[in-house]
Amino acid sequence: MGALTATIVAIPFSAMAASGGKLTAELAPVPHSAAADGGSDVTGHADIKLTGRTISVHLTASGLTPGEPHAMHIHGVFDHVNECPTADADVNTGDPIDDSTPQQEGTPDGLISLNEGAPSYGPIDVSLTRTGATDPGSGLALERFVSADANGDLSYQRTITVSKQVAKNLSDLHIVIHGTDLPWDADSSSLSSLFEATLPVACGSIN
């Protein structure tokens, strides 16, 4: 009888957990060598309120390239262990997203590129844009992402309707911030290079 009672109580509890609650994410720098990325040290914090299929996101970050938009996403594979990349992800198999970068296949370069980071944290599930669509297809719509201020600080707030799968698995997903100006880029901007604009610079699990 006791086991039956426990089962009855557990069912509505887990249903509530899947449809509502408050979650957070602490964003830490993605491991890069200081020589390769100019000493990038991006950190951040996100508060997320989940109500049914609606998420209200408040995210702040610092250490970003000043005055430029930074793509930010919720990443992850549903029903799968997702994680932020470690330094071991820098295997540098070459990154076809931008063939103008000084990369050599099989030679680690001190950076974890878009393609090197993706196996750890998974594909885009939600694009944290300021306006318009928030689907994965908006993942590179840089004109619709928040820009860092002159000090490299960023603040983002938006309420978004997500898929049932995202809502159900939110606590297994990750937030990733992208984009940095690299030292070898003479124009002092990340926007002229797709490799720089998509480089993951901070990552944190949603809990």
Side-chain angles (χ1 to χ4, degrees):
M1 185 69 176
L4 178 60
T5 302
T7 301
I8 293 172
V9 171
I11 291 172
F13 178 81
S14 65
M16 273 175 34
S19 62
K22 294 182 178 180
L23 302 98
T24 62
E26 298 297 334
L27 279 63
V30 171
H32 296 153
S33 78
D37 73 1
S40 173
D41 188 27
V42 180
T43 58
H45 173 85
D47 290 308
I48 303 173
K49 182 180 179 182
L50 172 66
T51 307
R53 287 180 50 206
T54 299
I55 59 171
S56 295
V57 183
H58 181 208
L59 185 155
T60 57
S62 60
L64 295 156
T65 301
E68 296 189 352
H70 290 269
M72 305 186 297
H73 315 112
I74 295 176
H75 285 258
V77 178
F78 305 132
D79 300 320
H80 182 78
V81 176
N82 303 288
E83 57 189 9
C84 291
T86 65
D88 293 341
D90 178 22
V91 295
N92 202 346
T93 56
D95 202 323
I97 196 168
D98 188 345
D99 59 12
S100 68
T101 59
Q103 291 189 314
Q104 296 181 3
E105 186 172 350
T107 304
D109 60 358
L111 300 170
I112 296 174
S113 68
L114 181 71
N115 282 2
E116 290 170 330
S120 296
Y121 51 68
I124 298 172
D125 299 311
V126 180
S127 297
L128 299 177
T129 54
R130 294 180 296 107
T131 60
T134 59
D135 63 305
S138 296
L140 285 177
L142 292 178
E143 71 281 1
R144 292 194 285 113
F145 285 96
V146 175
S147 292
D149 64 18
N151 297 315
D153 297 330
L154 175 152
S155 181
Y156 170 83
Q157 191 158 359
R158 190 175 182 188
T159 298
I160 299 168
T161 299
V162 298
S163 69
K164 291 181 180 179
Q165 283 286 74
V166 169
K168 179 182 177 181
N169 295 281
L170 192 58
S171 61
D172 295 324
L173 306 180
H174 286 65
I175 292 177
V176 181
I177 301 178
H178 301 260
T180 191
D181 173 47
L182 296 171
W184 45 260
D185 180 5
D187 65 8
S188 301
S189 171
S190 68
L191 302 182
S192 61
S193 164
L194 196 55
F195 178 82
E196 290 179 291
T198 59
L199 196 76
V201 293
C203 176
S205 60
I206 300 173
N207 301 292

